Amino acid sequence: MAFDYKKEYKEFYLPPKTPAIITVPAMNFLAVQGQGDPNEEGGAYQQAVGLLYAVAFTIKMSKRSDHVPEGYFDYVVPPLEGLWWQEDTQGVDYSRKKDFWWISLIRLPEFATQKVFEWAVQEAARKKQQDFSAVKFFRWQEGLCVQCMHLGPYDDEPATVAAMDAYAVHQGYETDFGQERFHHEIYLNDPRRCKPERMKTVIRHPIRSAR
């Protein structure tokens, strides 16, 4: 049976509907950075997601190639994730989507080294006849965070974020946005195939001790 990160690491992908504190270790990702409204039809964000999935599935299907990575194991491609920020803003302002900066992410399996990544980018470019140079190998350690499962449309997230912030303060923490510390979302549904009220999104914010 294919290894499923969502099931094996429930603390990261299937948190409760109430806020909790978590420490997130270093992980490797495929990443594309960009700017603009993620809802723009055919815009930079949607293009970035397409690039990520093409490389992610090239690595997954490498088992059928003549370039099987050392230590390969079959796995379910992890869910799409996003880091979001806006200039001069703590957290995010959902009313200013055009001002978003973002890094779109897909987690890499442990066997996917920098060398495996480089092969996959070249292979995807060869097969798709497309430029994949925007896709980067991104190692990131998120550290101490507060997180919660958000149920419903993305535009309803502020209520969940407010509950997370209140919980963090009650536990003696404060938000810690800054360099490499972002508003983080993990998307457990495809919004094109799921009713908005049934969507599940993990929301995660960086925190530090307020004491």
Side-chain angles (χ1 to χ4, degrees), residues 144-145 174-177 181-183 204-208:
L144 188 65
C145 296
E174 61 186 8
T175 53
D176 185 31
F177 295 109
R181 307 218 76 196
F182 309 104
H183 173 91
R204 193 178 291 159
H205 276 184
I207 56 174
R208 64 188 175 196

Side-chain angles (χ1 to χ4, degrees), residues 30-33 48 51-52 104 117 121 131-137:
L30 299 172
V32 177
Q33 181 171 332
L51 294 174
L52 287 176
S104 291
F117 160 77
V121 168
D131 181 9
F132 284 86
S133 61
V135 184
K136 306 300 181 183
F137 184 92

Side-chain angles (χ1 to χ4, degrees), residues 29-93:
F29 297 88
L30 299 172
V32 177
Q33 181 171 332
Q35 193 273 332
D37 187 343
N39 297 323
E40 180 186 352
E41 190 66 33
Y45 178 79
Q46 294 185 8
Q47 293 178 37
V49 171
L51 294 174
L52 287 176
Y53 274 109
V55 177
F57 276 97
T58 298
I59 294 172
K60 174 178 170 58
M61 300 312 296
S62 61
K63 62 183 179 181
R64 298 182 180 177
S65 74
D66 58 0
H67 198 282
V68 182
E70 183 178 355
Y72 179 93
F73 56 86
D74 196 17
Y75 66 101
V76 177
V77 172
L80 180 69
E81 308 186 30
L83 308 179
W84 301 88
W85 71 98
Q86 292 155 323
E87 299 295 339
D88 303 318
T89 302
Q90 284 290 303
V92 294
D93 180 349

Side-chain angles (χ1 to χ4, degrees), residues 9 65 80 91 99 102 113 126 157 187 194 201:
Y9 295 102
S65 74
L80 180 69
D99 296 330
W102 39 262
T113 61
R126 182 184 69 82
E157 288 182 6
Y187 309 106
C194 183
T201 307

